Amino acid sequence: QSYLLDANISLNDLEVRGKTAGTDRDADLSLMVSPLLLNGSLTISNGRSSLSSNNRNVTIRGDMDNSGSWYYGTSRTIFDDGVQSVTGSSVTDFYDLEVSSVTSLTSNGSFTVNNDLVIVSGNLVLGSGLATVIGDLVNNGAYTDDNLTGGVRLGGATQQIISGNGSFARLVLDNGSGARISNEIILQHVLVIDRGILDINKYLLTLSQNSLISGTGFRATKMIRSDGVSSSRGVLKYFPAGAQTF
């Protein structure tokens, strides 16, 4: 069964649930004209359930539980509350993802942001999950990870921009066209360069005590590059007290 939803006021909880007992029945919900604002949680219950944004923005002030199909189109998904989470058995990808949580948004695994990841406030908790970003990364809050497999991966096809004054954890550059920072940033975890040039321009890239630069085969097309003038800030690395091995 196909359903259409248009609400120009906020709703509370929304659940899309297909029928899985007896004779199976699909429940496919599509937004119409208005953006969707939920003061509660969004649940896509099972494999017989789907929600299509129809390119309309979706704001969630509770949790998102996705065990069905989420068709995001070119919409911006906004998490805008206190302690929030993304759960469910399905991989939940996004087009634009905005984290405006007061405290945190916790993901339950790896996912892809097919355009921009914008952290306005709060902490995006990734754990061992890898968030692959195809567009730009704007971080004025924080993201955290296990500093092993989790973090943010820049995996676009054109040069990506990194900006914001937030706390950056593990960052993976895997883009042959590279990435460029537009202000000073501080990395708390490992910087992994798999492909491309990290262009730090004139700005300072700070590596904390827990930050290392990981990668092999560094060359002219795979490195950290500044703009080369004497006023460029370059790279600053903090070391713990005691002898170090290089």
Side-chain angles (χ1 to χ4, degrees):
Q1 180 70 48
S2 296
Y3 303 90
L4 298 174
L5 171 63
D6 187 63
N8 57 13
I9 60 171
S10 61
L11 305 178
N12 194 24
D13 294 328
L14 175 62
E15 180 176 3
V16 185
R17 179 182 290 274
K19 183 174 181 288
T20 58
T23 302
D24 291 346
R25 294 285 188 270
D26 293 339
D28 301 316
L29 177 64
S30 297
L31 303 183
M32 294 180 66
V33 177
S34 304
L36 178 63
L37 171 58
L38 295 178
N39 289 324
S41 295
L42 170 62
T43 302
I44 307 172
S45 294
N46 52 49
R48 290 284 181 176
S49 313
S50 72
L51 173 62
S52 173
S53 75
N54 197 23
N55 304 324
R56 303 299 187 259
N57 291 348
V58 176
T59 299
I60 303 170
R61 291 177 174 162
D63 299 324
M64 182 174 183
D65 184 350
N66 177 24
S67 295
S69 298
W70 159 237
Y71 301 112
Y72 45 81
T74 57
S75 67
R76 175 175 289 244
T77 306
I78 303 163
F79 289 88
D80 178 18
D81 196 57
V83 178
Q84 299 179 266
S85 62
V86 178
T87 60
S89 59
S90 297
V91 176
T92 302
D93 296 329
F94 305 93
Y95 184 70
D96 286 322
L97 173 60
E98 177 184 320
V99 180
S100 292
S101 302
V102 175
T103 304
S104 64
L105 172 67
T106 300
S107 69
N108 65 338
S110 298
F111 61 93
T112 298
V113 180
N114 286 279
N115 198 43
D116 297 338
L117 171 59
V118 180
I119 305 174
V120 176
S121 60
N123 180 19
L124 175 59
V125 182
L126 297 169
S128 60
L130 192 64
T132 296
V133 179
I134 305 302
D136 297 332
L137 171 62
V138 182
N139 178 17
N140 286 302
Y143 70 88
T144 55
D145 52 62
D146 64 356
N147 203 22
L148 294 171
T149 60
V152 172
R153 171 180 171 264
L154 301 177
T158 59
Q159 188 183 65
Q160 297 173 261
I161 304 299
I162 307 168
S163 64
N165 298 309
S167 177
F168 293 78
R170 184 171 180 264
L171 182 64
V172 180
L173 177 59
D174 189 11
N175 179 349
S177 297
R180 182 180 177 91
I181 70 173
S182 60
N183 54 260
E184 296 185 359
I185 67 170
I186 300 174
L187 282 180
Q188 303 297 336
H189 284 169
V190 171
L191 170 63
V192 181
I193 302 180
D194 285 335
R195 291 189 303 142
I197 293 172
L198 179 60
D199 186 351
I200 63 174
N201 197 0
K202 62 182 180 180
Y203 301 107
L204 179 66
L205 171 64
T206 300
L207 305 177
S208 73
Q209 291 187 14
N210 295 321
S211 298
L212 300 172
I213 299 174
S214 175
T216 59
F218 292 102
R219 52 193 180 275
T221 57
K222 182 183 177 181
M223 63 178 179
I224 299 173
R225 181 179 68 193
S226 72
D227 63 4
V229 300
S230 59
S231 59
S232 298
R233 303 293 304 278
V235 177
L236 172 64
K237 166 64 181 170
Y238 286 98
F239 294 95
Q244 305 295 316
T245 300
F246 299 93

